[in-house]
Amino acid sequence: LASAGGTATLAQWQAGLRQVRYFNSSNEPNEAVRTISFTANDGDASSNAGVRNVSVAQRNDYPEGSSATLAIDEDEIVVFTRADFGFSDLDGDGFASLFFRPEPANGALYLDGFAIDWSDGLAGISFDISFIDEGRLSFRPDADVSGTGAASVTFQVRDDGPNGGGHFNIDLTPNILTIDIAAPRLNSPRQVLFPSLIGTTIEFFDFYIYGT
């Protein structure tokens, strides 16, 4: 800091010095003490060096998930995988669990084949990532529901780092798995010929075959 012509007042110097900041840009900083030294100069000579120590504590930054769209057929069951939730973490922490809230739209979460019951005012539910890895957690749309964005599941990812006291181990922004559900396809009517009946008088009727 400098004052042109040495005209700054003591109050101005104090205000200027209070704007000096130390900023650490690393997500995983070394926690060794930083030493900052400074001197003052009145235009003729410099003062003895002043010293201040700065301590930097590591903090667990929150992980992030990402919204995505899944496509299934009507009444098909979705067995979740890790990739469905787009987990990432600046600190390099691991994927620990998933938190679901509110209740899924037009469908239900199932654990080991049993539906999660939200009827008693359940505020949210968390599942360890091992349930995903073992294929135990799934989503089943309501019967006969179909259409673009017909169902959805809202979630937040958690990492395996500390939480509280300046640490965050859960994504602060909920993400959404949107589920597009395709309705059953009906094929066009097909004409079926019966050569053995040629020349025979028969009563005609409409004959349709449906399916894939």
Side-chain angles (χ1 to χ4, degrees):
L1 295 175
S3 171
T7 59
T9 65
L10 175 61
Q12 288 173 324
W13 275 108
Q14 290 173 334
L17 288 169
R18 291 189 181 107
Q19 298 306 309
V20 177
R21 300 284 189 271
Y22 174 84
F23 177 74
N24 177 77
S25 60
S26 173
N27 282 308
E28 295 189 55
N30 185 312
E31 294 186 320
V33 174
R34 279 77 163 159
T35 299
I36 300 173
S37 61
F38 54 91
T39 59
N41 186 289
D42 62 3
D44 293 322
S46 295
S47 68
N48 293 330
V51 177
R52 292 291 183 272
N53 293 328
V54 176
S55 297
V56 178
Q58 292 192 26
R59 185 183 74 177
N60 184 33
D61 294 316
Y62 57 83
E64 292 184 336
S66 59
S67 297
T69 299
L70 305 178
I72 63 173
D73 292 327
E74 186 176 303
D75 300 327
E76 182 181 351
I77 298 172
V78 178
V79 179
F80 293 124
T81 69
R82 286 177 176 241
D84 294 331
F85 305 99
F87 176 87
S88 64
D89 188 89
L90 286 174
D91 302 320
D93 294 327
F95 194 171
S97 63
L98 284 155
F99 180 72
F100 295 91
R101 181 181 60 190
E103 182 177 3
N106 294 327
L109 294 174
Y110 281 72
L111 179 63
D112 295 335
F114 295 94
I116 305 300
D117 184 9
W118 297 73
S119 62
D120 60 353
L122 186 67
I125 188 167
S126 183
F127 293 99
D128 190 87
I129 192 61
S130 64
F131 289 92
I132 305 295
D133 294 338
E134 295 165 4
R136 299 171 60 188
L137 187 64
S138 61
F139 173 81
R140 300 185 186 184
D142 293 338
D144 302 325
V145 169
S146 64
T148 301
S152 64
V153 178
T154 302
F155 68 92
Q156 291 165 270
V157 296
R158 277 197 175 103
D159 67 30
D160 57 7
N163 192 50
H167 300 280
F168 300 91
N169 71 355
I170 187 169
D171 191 354
L172 302 183
T173 305
N175 292 282
I176 298 176
L177 276 180
T178 300
I179 302 174
D180 295 341
I181 304 176
R185 184 183 65 185
L186 297 179
N187 289 339
S188 301
R190 300 173 184 173
Q191 183 180 24
V192 180
L193 299 178
F194 298 92
S196 61
L197 298 179
I198 295 176
T200 303
T201 300
I202 62 174
E203 182 179 350
F204 286 94
F205 58 91
D206 291 331
F207 186 85
Y208 297 92
I209 298 177
Y210 293 103
T212 56

